[in-house]
């Protein structure tokens, strides 16, 4: 497809001429977005498919010009959006191949995608090699921009350090006497980083804490008998877990009958998307997060009502946090595109001009402001929230919600997450 606004030089010249003459520029060429999320496998149900439905609902609403201010202009700057949706299942090597196909054969204008941290780490250097604007919408590892710098790669949601630090703050705010901690996390970038950040945070906040055991089953393990035995024998007050998707559901189904959670309080840093699927297997008192003030934690606003309405019309349920992550990515690029378009007097901006506009931008989302304040303007920061579960009439609800601003849960620019945690959360370098 060669109707891309990003590369439509003749169209850009014509539109610029219209802008100069005072006419209102209306772009009609479509913008083709490669969208990557899990459509199969254990991550599809609670994460990947909700993300796909959110992307479709948001694009339909944008193309119809039905999104509240400041996003009321159709599409991106008047140009309609087109999605090319790809399954993220299959591992990092497969995803690199799929990414090359999206860019080189499908000729997409940009790529928005990736839930798996391993996939994000693999895709980022390839996006740079192919010089294609790529927006990571959900993956959590802080390594992306702490270990490298990119021109073409952005992440419009906060990284996993926010989740671990806020979890520890919430726990000690509500249970300051907890002393012995254990963890069960997947043995890849997301799980390793989540546990590492959480362990160092609790040791910084309370040096006297004890670590019982850190269990690291492989992603997609499915069976957790040995890990559950180790956790039971650890006699821990608290169990931290960043398990998500099908892994989380399998672990809960196997751990609940063995009364693990009668001995230990559970923290699920990414548990919100699974709550309605695990009724009867989420004990009251579980501390749960949504990787931001998303889903059950999102406070009333015009944009939040819009997202809830369009998602419920498509999916039949309210949106969970992957849907909010998608909204952040699509709306963040829209804000940058139209900022660049305005700077150009109404003409279609080039990819480089969109990138320049996206670097360091602050934009509105369905839960509030998002600032691209880390990673030289390529990594978002935001506040987050945690709450405690209780089941009422067959529905898992979240109460005792506490919100934490970005500066309390994310490091300042130029400081690695681990250095910031170990420094005692200093606000400057």
């Amino acid at each position: 497809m060669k109707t891309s606004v990003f590369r439509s030089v003749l169209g850009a010249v014509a539109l610029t001429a219209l802008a100069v003459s005072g006419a209102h520029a209306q772009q009609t060429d479509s913008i083709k977005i490669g969208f990557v999320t899990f459509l199969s496998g254990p991550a599809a149900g609670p994460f990947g498919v909700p993300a796909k439905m959110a992307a479709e609902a948001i694009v339909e609403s944008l193309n119809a010009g039905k999104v509240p201010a400041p996003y009321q202009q159709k599409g991106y700057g008047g140009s309609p959006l087109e999605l090319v949706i790809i399954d993220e299942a299959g591992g990092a090597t497969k995803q690199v191949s799929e990414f090359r196909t999206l860019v080189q054969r499908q000729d997409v204008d940009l790529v928005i995608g990736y839930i798996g941290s391993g996939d994000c780490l693999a895709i980022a250097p390839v996006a740079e090699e192919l010089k294609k604007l790529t927006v990571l919408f959900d993956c959590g590892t802080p390594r992306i921009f702490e270990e490298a710098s990119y021109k073409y790669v952005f992440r419009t949601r906060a990284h996993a350090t926010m989740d671990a630090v806020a979890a520890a703050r919430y726990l000690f705010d509500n249970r300051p006497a907890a002393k012995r901690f254990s963890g069960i996390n997947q043995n890849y970038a997301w799980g390793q980083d989540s546990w590492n950040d959480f362990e160092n945070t609790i040791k910084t906040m309370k040096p006297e804490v004890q670590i019982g055991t850190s269990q690291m089953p492989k992603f997609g393990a499915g069976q957790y008998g040995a890990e559950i035995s180790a956790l039971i024998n650890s006699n821990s007050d608290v169990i931290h877990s960043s398990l998500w998707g099908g892994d989380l559901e399998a672990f809960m189904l196997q751990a609940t009958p063995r009364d693990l959670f009668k001995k230990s309080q559970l923290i699920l840093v990414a548990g919100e998307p699974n709550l309605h699927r695990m009724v009867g297997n989420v004990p009251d008192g579980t501390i749960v997060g949504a990787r931001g003030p998303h889903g059950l934690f999102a406070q009333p606003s015009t944009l939040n009502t819009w997202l809830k309405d369009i998602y419920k019309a498509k999916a039949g349920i309210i949106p969970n946090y992957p849907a909010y992550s998608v909204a952040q990515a699509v709306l963040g690029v829209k804000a940058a595109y139209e900022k660049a378009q305005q700077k150009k007097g109404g003409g279609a901006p080039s990819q480089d001009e969109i990138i320049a506009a996206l670097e360091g931008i602050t934009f509105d989302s369905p839960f509030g402001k998002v600032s691209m304040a880390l990673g030289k303007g390529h990594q978002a920061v935001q506040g987050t929230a945690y709450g405690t579960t209780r089941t009422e009439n067959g529905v898992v609800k979240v109460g005792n919600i506490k919100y934490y601003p970005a500066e309390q849960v994310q490091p300042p620019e130029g400081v690695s997450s681990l250095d910031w945690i170990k420094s005692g959360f200093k606000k400057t370098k």
Side-chain angles (χ1 to χ4, degrees), residues 24 87 89 103 120 137 146 152 184 202 209 231 235 253 260 276 313 333 349 368 370 416:
H24 180 62
D87 189 357
V103 175
C120 285
F137 81 83
E146 290 189 353
Y152 297 92
I184 177 166
I202 59 175
V209 299
L231 291 168
N235 294 315
L253 283 169
L260 172 61
H276 72 285
V333 176
V370 178
S416 75

Side-chain angles (χ1 to χ4, degrees), residues 31 114 249 303 308 366:
I31 296 174
Y114 306 105
E249 293 181 11
L303 277 173
K308 284 184 173 181

Side-chain angles (χ1 to χ4, degrees), residues 21-318:
S21 68
H24 180 62
Q26 284 295 324
Q27 297 170 262
T28 55
D29 293 340
S30 64
I31 296 174
K32 200 171 179 181
I33 302 173
F35 186 78
V36 188
T37 184
F38 286 104
L39 303 179
S40 61
F47 279 78
V49 172
K52 171 180 176 288
M53 289 193 287
E56 291 172 337
I58 292 166
V59 165
E60 289 167 6
S61 187
L62 281 170
N63 286 344
K66 294 182 177 179
V67 185
Y71 301 115
Q72 62 271 38
Q73 190 173 7
K74 289 186 177 181
Y76 283 175
S79 295
L81 307 181
E82 176 186 354
L83 290 173
V84 179
I85 299 176
I86 298 295
D87 189 357
E88 192 179 341
T93 300
K94 179 174 181 288
Q95 287 312 307
V96 167
S97 176
E98 295 279 14
F99 182 87
R100 291 186 182 278
T101 299
L102 277 173
V103 175
Q104 296 173 327
R105 295 187 181 180
Q106 297 272 11
D107 205 18
V108 298
D109 294 300
L110 73 156
V111 176
I112 295 176
Y114 306 105
I115 292 172
S117 290
D119 293 335
C120 285
L121 287 167
I123 291 297
V126 183
E128 206 72 3
E129 173 197 334
L130 299 183
K131 296 180 170 52
K132 181 58 60 179
L133 173 59
T134 299
V135 179
L136 311 176
F137 81 83
D138 193 78
C139 57
T141 178
R143 299 182 204 172
I144 301 291
F145 296 106
E146 290 189 353
E147 296 181 354
S149 295
Y150 298 103
K151 174 182 177 180
Y152 297 92
V153 181
F154 292 81
R155 178 163 50 191
T156 47
R157 63 127 48 253
H159 59 59
T161 296
M162 171 188 73
D163 310 305
V165 173
R169 290 188 185 279
Y170 184 88
L171 174 73
F172 287 135
D173 284 346
N174 290 279
R175 193 175 171 184
K179 290 184 178 178
R180 189 169 176 83
F181 294 77
S182 288
I184 177 166
N185 298 276
Q186 293 136 320
N187 193 16
Y188 77 109
W190 160 253
Q192 294 162 357
D193 293 344
S194 183
W195 173 250
N196 197 36
D197 285 346
F198 182 78
E199 180 181 7
N200 280 283
T201 296
I202 59 175
K203 287 180 176 176
T204 297
M205 296 179 73
K206 290 184 179 276
E208 68 273 19
V209 299
Q210 303 169 359
I211 301 301
T213 181
S214 169
Q215 296 296 309
M216 288 276 175
K218 67 178 182 180
F219 177 72
Q223 297 297 321
Y224 302 96
E227 289 82 2
I228 292 168
S229 295
L231 291 168
I232 291 172
N233 293 331
S234 72
N235 294 315
S236 297
D237 299 316
V238 178
I239 295 172
H240 163 278
S241 181
S242 62
L243 294 180
W244 58 282
D247 282 0
L248 175 58
E249 293 181 11
F251 169 69
M252 297 297 288
L253 283 169
Q254 295 166 42
T256 300
R258 297 182 63 180
D259 293 336
L260 172 61
F261 308 125
K262 289 184 178 178
K263 299 181 64 175
S264 306
Q265 183 169 22
L266 181 63
I267 299 176
L268 299 176
V269 300
E272 183 262 354
N274 297 71
L275 290 182
H276 72 285
R277 298 163 60 95
M278 299 192 302
V279 176
N281 288 296
V282 180
D284 288 355
T286 297
I287 295 171
V288 67
R291 305 209 58 227
H294 308 140
L296 297 172
F297 300 101
Q299 300 188 73
S301 73
T302 303
L303 277 173
N304 190 30
T305 299
W306 160 76
L307 180 62
K308 284 184 173 181
D309 288 347
I310 63 169
Y311 187 87
K312 191 171 183 179
K314 194 171 194 66
I317 57 175
I318 63 172

